[in-house]
Amino acid sequence: MLSDTMLQQMNEQVKHEMASAYLYLSMAAHFESVNLSGLASWMRVQAGEEQEHALKFFDHILDRGGKVSLQAIGQPPVDFTTPLAVFEKVLAHEQQVTALIHKLYALAVQEADYASQLFLAWFVTEQVEEEKNASTIVETLKLIGDKSNAIYQLDHQLGKRAAD
């Protein structure tokens, strides 16, 4: 059984994961509007992953006898500028999510909640991958600069990302 504090924080994390999905869908819409369908596709896949993460927390809460309490999520930003600025926002966002996961893990350790520690260990590893992917794209976009032909090549490459 989850403690009241852990239950509250896990329900909060469901909200954060769904807000992440919403943010990435907004970014996908932006990229579609500027004819970068590969970047849009990458963001759609990312949004789907975030929804899957939310459902993992949803199921963990239920599996541990807790009550899921869905919370409102705010409207994500709708105005974006360059691909570099968007992916810098992605990286900063993933770093915030990492901090939230670490906070949850620390709470599980503090409460000797071994089942939640095992559950959260997957997310700790996942966030390393999320930050690495975003960072790699940021660094690639910095190298590219404003060379439109290179941006279109990256757009094509990122469009090949498929949902798992």
Side-chain angles (χ1 to χ4, degrees):
M1 176 170 242
L2 297 170
S3 72
D4 289 342
T5 304
M6 183 61 78
L7 176 61
Q8 176 189 0
Q9 294 302 308
M10 290 230 172
N11 272 309
E12 186 76 18
Q13 192 63 32
V14 171
K15 177 183 89 169
H16 291 305
E17 299 293 341
M18 292 304 287
S20 294
Y22 220 38
L23 173 64
Y24 293 138
L25 282 177
S26 186
M27 291 172 171
H30 164 74
F31 283 131
E32 285 289 351
S33 75
V34 296
N35 201 28
L36 291 170
S37 60
L39 297 176
S41 176
W42 191 95
M43 290 295 177
R44 283 179 181 243
V45 171
Q46 192 66 25
E49 282 188 9
E50 301 303 336
Q51 290 173 326
E52 289 174 15
H53 296 169
L55 289 174
K56 285 179 183 284
F57 278 98
F58 184 99
D59 290 338
H60 183 74
I61 291 167
L62 294 174
D63 289 348
R64 300 290 307 285
K67 180 179 180 181
V68 173
S69 176
L70 298 178
Q71 302 168 19
I73 56 175
Q75 179 182 1
V78 295
D79 295 318
F80 301 96
T81 57
T82 66
L84 175 59
V86 173
F87 276 94
E88 286 175 334
K89 187 168 188 66
V90 168
L91 178 57
H93 181 76
E94 289 299 338
Q95 289 167 336
Q96 291 171 345
V97 171
T98 297
L100 292 169
I101 296 296
H102 289 176
K103 182 180 170 187
L104 268 173
Y105 191 91
L107 177 62
V109 169
Q110 176 187 335
E111 294 189 353
D113 182 345
Y114 303 112
S116 290
Q117 288 176 46
L118 289 171
F119 170 74
L120 290 164
W122 183 88
F123 284 94
V124 170
T125 302
E126 175 70 5
Q127 283 309 118
V128 170
E129 179 186 335
E130 297 286 6
E131 285 189 32
K132 177 185 178 278
N133 289 341
S135 179
T136 298
I137 296 170
V138 165
E139 293 308 313
T140 300
L141 286 165
K142 285 180 181 178
L143 287 171
I144 289 172
D146 61 358
K147 298 176 189 124
S148 60
N149 59 338
I151 290 173
Y152 283 111
Q153 285 178 335
L154 181 63
D155 181 64
H156 179 72
Q157 177 185 347
L158 293 181
K160 294 179 181 179
R161 179 184 185 200
D164 295 333

